[in-house]
Amino acid sequence: MSGMHPSSNEPRRVLVLDDEPLILLDLEFAVEDAGCKPLTALDLVEALSIVQNNAISAAILDVSLGQGQTCEQVARALAALGVPYVLHTGDLDRMDEAVRSLGGTLVPKPTPASVVVARALEPLTVRHQ
Amino acid sequence: MNHNSFNDSPVPDRTDQAHTAFDSSVARFRAQHPEDTFSGASGVLFEQAMAQTRMAICLCDPHEPDMPIVFANRAFRHLTGYEEHEIVGRNCRFLQGPHSDRSALVRIRNALANEEVTVVELLNYRKDGSAFWNALHLGPVYDAEGKLVYFFGSQWDVSDVRAARAEELHARELARELSHRMKNMFAVIGGIVNFTGRVRGVEAEAREINDRIQALGRAYETTLDDSRRGTVEVGQAIRAVLAPYDPDGTRFRFEGNGLRSDFGAVSVLGLSLHELAVNAIRNGALSTDKGWVTVAWRKNGSADGPAIRIDWMEHGRGSGVPDSDSAFSGADGIVDRMLDMARGGIVREWHSEGLRAKLNIPLREAAE
């Protein structure tokens, strides 16, 4: 199963960030279905704290988090750690240039949660094959 | 120069700039600047052009302190509401006001300093205090020896143009925001269906429901850009619905462009094509590596009963007739029932290459 870390029996940790709880719930199930351990965040503060305190293997980031906030800060933190992430967004056109330039994989909303998770885990399976 | 020929114009009562030719300010300016070569044909041309144009025009003298206006035509006075004696001798900045953009003023200053031609849009104020957007075109005027004589400025009120631009921009922003919210809402609905299916142990059913809902969402996505027209481009909706089944863009060939339909046809059209694609993946051309599907659409039917006709032609399936009826019509005949309900229909034929389906959906054309 792609969810298992190759060097241990620990399931991989996947950060899931979305300001919509119902989408978060759906993605959490989908991450579990892929054999990984979901760590969910509803906002920037939660997400940054998860990134700081856990070894994350991959991440799914909602781009616009309400009140003008974007996931840019989290994306930068992950990029600095070399953690792959997908940008999950309902508005690719309006997406902040700064976020776009971060170079995560873009997954338009709505995409089935299982597909979003598969896209997020893609870099891991390629790397370890 | 004879002004009277203009005074005798057959339409003396017209007050707009195109029809009021006589402008004594031109003659006064020429009288005060005899050193400028406004004699002969060019003088006549200058006089008539300045007088007749609806474009507000002024000349400024860069050799006088604070570059005063030395000439302003009638259109300039008409535009700004000032009398000639209130204009001549003053620097152009008297048209500026509290909300004039500093960066526009800097651009004007730079153009003057470098003797460049430039166009700047800036907020100016009339004598009565009302504001207007002024498309100011300015540039240097040289004499025969190439020496700078004047700066030329033409002013055009573009307030209406700017208002229209702003309105269009606002409408676009609104459509985008709506589109964003709608996609989010479809994502949320998908989430609800999925986790409900999961906790109830009916994941397969939930997935089927969700796939249909998401197909509907894709079909409607395209309607937002066209919301003001009240119609949808059928081809865009078809492409959007089928896109997820063809990630590499090699499995579908689309034929037919430009056909528009009312919003009403979108849901049935979108869901029908979704079901056909799902069946093609299960049993048809898309279940093989090399199969592909042609989707063609056109306007059909009579003048009083127009319809959208969609041809779904599968290619390269290679094997014979499917082993059951369900491969023809889908597990539950949902396509047939939806199209019936929309007062349309579907006819299926099986060819050696695969399924050929002809769909008909009534077209309620909006007036365009």
Side-chain angles (χ1 to χ4, degrees):
Chain A
M1 191 74 212
S2 65
M4 287 299 175
H5 203 273
S7 60
S8 74
N9 288 329
E10 281 276 296
R12 289 193 164 109
R13 294 191 176 89
V14 177
L15 167 67
V16 188
L17 167 63
D18 201 301
D19 66 336
E20 171 53 61
L22 297 179
I23 293 177
L24 213 48
L25 189 50
D26 188 25
L27 288 169
E28 181 184 41
F29 278 137
V31 170
E32 279 175 10
D33 288 346
C36 299
K37 182 178 169 54
L39 299 172
T40 62
L42 263 181
D43 57 35
L44 271 183
V45 176
E46 286 186 13
L48 289 169
S49 137
I50 288 171
V51 172
Q52 251 171 21
N53 300 315
N54 296 273
I56 304 289
S57 297
I60 299 163
L61 307 178
D62 177 24
V63 172
S64 94
L65 301 170
Q67 272 109 45
Q69 283 198 327
T70 73
C71 67
E72 184 186 344
Q73 223 182 320
V74 183
R76 285 197 186 286
L78 291 170
L81 294 167
V83 176
Y85 56 88
V86 296
L87 298 172
H88 190 210
T89 176
D91 190 353
L92 292 174
D93 301 331
R94 193 169 41 178
M95 213 172 68
D96 206 48
E97 274 306 314
V99 178
R100 193 189 290 271
S101 68
L102 292 173
T105 304
L106 300 180
V107 180
K109 275 186 187 175
T111 294
S114 58
V115 177
V116 179
V117 172
R119 297 296 303 278
L121 296 178
E122 247 165 41
L124 306 182
T125 52
V126 169
R127 193 179 299 167
H128 295 296
Q129 252 167 15
Chain B
M1 182 65 216
N2 178 11
H3 294 306
N4 291 328
S5 60
F6 291 104
N7 267 343
D8 295 337
S9 155
V11 281
D13 293 335
R14 303 285 283 269
T15 51
D16 69 285
Q17 290 302 301
H19 296 90
T20 45
F22 178 69
D23 187 348
S24 60
S25 64
V26 184
R28 269 196 300 283
F29 171 68
R30 288 183 61 193
Q32 285 159 19
H33 298 80
E35 72 282 9
D36 295 326
T37 54
F38 287 117
S39 56
S42 68
V44 172
L45 188 64
F46 169 77
E47 188 155 342
Q48 294 191 7
M50 286 301 119
Q52 292 208 30
T53 182
R54 289 180 298 159
M55 175 75 77
I57 288 165
C58 65
L59 292 175
C60 304
D61 188 343
H63 306 297
E64 288 292 318
D66 204 27
M67 209 184 293
I69 296 173
V70 290
F71 167 75
N73 72 345
R74 182 197 307 270
F76 187 98
R77 304 189 310 262
H78 184 80
L79 174 66
T80 62
Y82 289 98
E83 300 295 327
E84 189 179 0
H85 67 88
E86 296 171 300
I87 299 168
V88 171
R90 295 173 81 176
N91 181 285
C92 275
R93 81 174 68 85
F94 75 97
L95 295 173
Q96 295 160 17
H99 297 293
S100 297
D101 180 10
R102 304 303 308 168
S103 68
L105 303 180
V106 168
R107 282 175 59 204
I108 294 172
R109 257 202 302 279
N110 289 342
L112 294 174
N114 302 323
E115 298 182 21
E116 285 169 352
V117 175
T118 191
V119 180
V120 178
E121 270 185 33
L122 76 165
L123 195 66
N124 275 168
Y125 294 81
R126 296 187 187 85
K127 188 180 179 182
D128 66 7
S130 60
F132 66 98
W133 280 100
N134 181 5
L136 169 66
H137 174 139
L138 64 92
V141 177
Y142 299 103
D143 67 9
E145 280 82 49
K147 181 174 144 287
L148 178 67
V149 193
Y150 299 114
F151 276 105
F152 166 96
S154 72
Q155 287 83 3
W156 191 255
D157 181 355
V158 291
S159 304
D160 291 348
V161 179
R162 284 187 69 108
R165 274 205 303 253
E167 199 173 303
E168 201 187 311
L169 202 68
H170 178 68
R172 263 209 304 272
E173 280 295 308
L174 212 61
R176 235 158 95 168
E177 181 60 31
L178 259 176
S179 160
H180 177 66
R181 288 191 193 178
M182 199 173 82
K183 285 176 195 169
N184 262 336
M185 192 46 68
F186 271 97
V188 171
I189 293 167
I192 293 171
V193 173
N194 274 349
F195 67 67
T196 306
R198 188 178 151 118
V199 297
R200 291 283 182 185
V202 286
E203 279 145 301
E205 289 85 346
R207 197 173 309 122
E208 189 177 340
I209 294 169
N210 200 16
D211 286 349
R212 285 180 178 158
I213 291 171
Q214 301 309 326
L216 183 69
R218 291 195 299 280
Y220 268 105
E221 239 169 64
T222 57
T223 65
L224 280 169
D225 296 335
D226 289 324
S227 55
R228 279 196 294 178
R229 279 181 88 171
T231 59
V232 189
E233 222 229 285
V234 173
Q236 275 186 317
I238 290 176
R239 285 183 173 92
V241 167
L242 297 177
Y245 310 113
D246 187 16
D248 301 323
T250 55
R251 293 302 198 108
F252 286 106
R253 297 190 188 172
F254 298 108
E255 293 173 7
N257 277 320
L259 177 62
R260 304 190 71 84
S261 159
D262 57 289
F263 295 142
V266 169
S267 55
V268 167
L269 187 149
L271 278 188
S272 298
L273 290 173
H274 161 70
E275 299 300 323
L276 288 173
V278 169
N279 286 338
I281 289 165
R282 235 176 253 155
N283 303 299
L286 301 183
S287 67
T288 67
D289 288 343
K290 291 186 185 122
W292 48 282
V293 182
T294 302
V295 186
W297 58 95
R298 61 191 153 90
K299 194 173 159 182
N300 202 21
S302 61
D304 40 331
I308 303 169
R309 158 76 178 271
I310 299 173
D311 283 289
W312 175 277
M313 291 167 283
E314 300 190 10
H315 310 270
R317 185 173 179 275
S319 59
V321 175
D323 45 7
S324 74
D325 278 354
S326 70
F328 260 124
S329 56
D332 46 12
I334 193 79
V335 175
D336 304 60
R337 298 188 64 152
M338 285 191 303
L339 286 166
D340 275 352
M341 200 57 88
R343 309 298 178 247
I346 180 167
V347 178
R348 294 180 181 80
E349 291 168 4
W350 201 263
H351 291 249
S352 57
E353 289 277 297
L355 174 70
R356 283 198 184 178
K358 300 182 175 85
L359 288 76
N360 235 35
I361 300 170
L363 181 62
R364 280 166 291 169
E365 280 170 305
E368 288 203 28

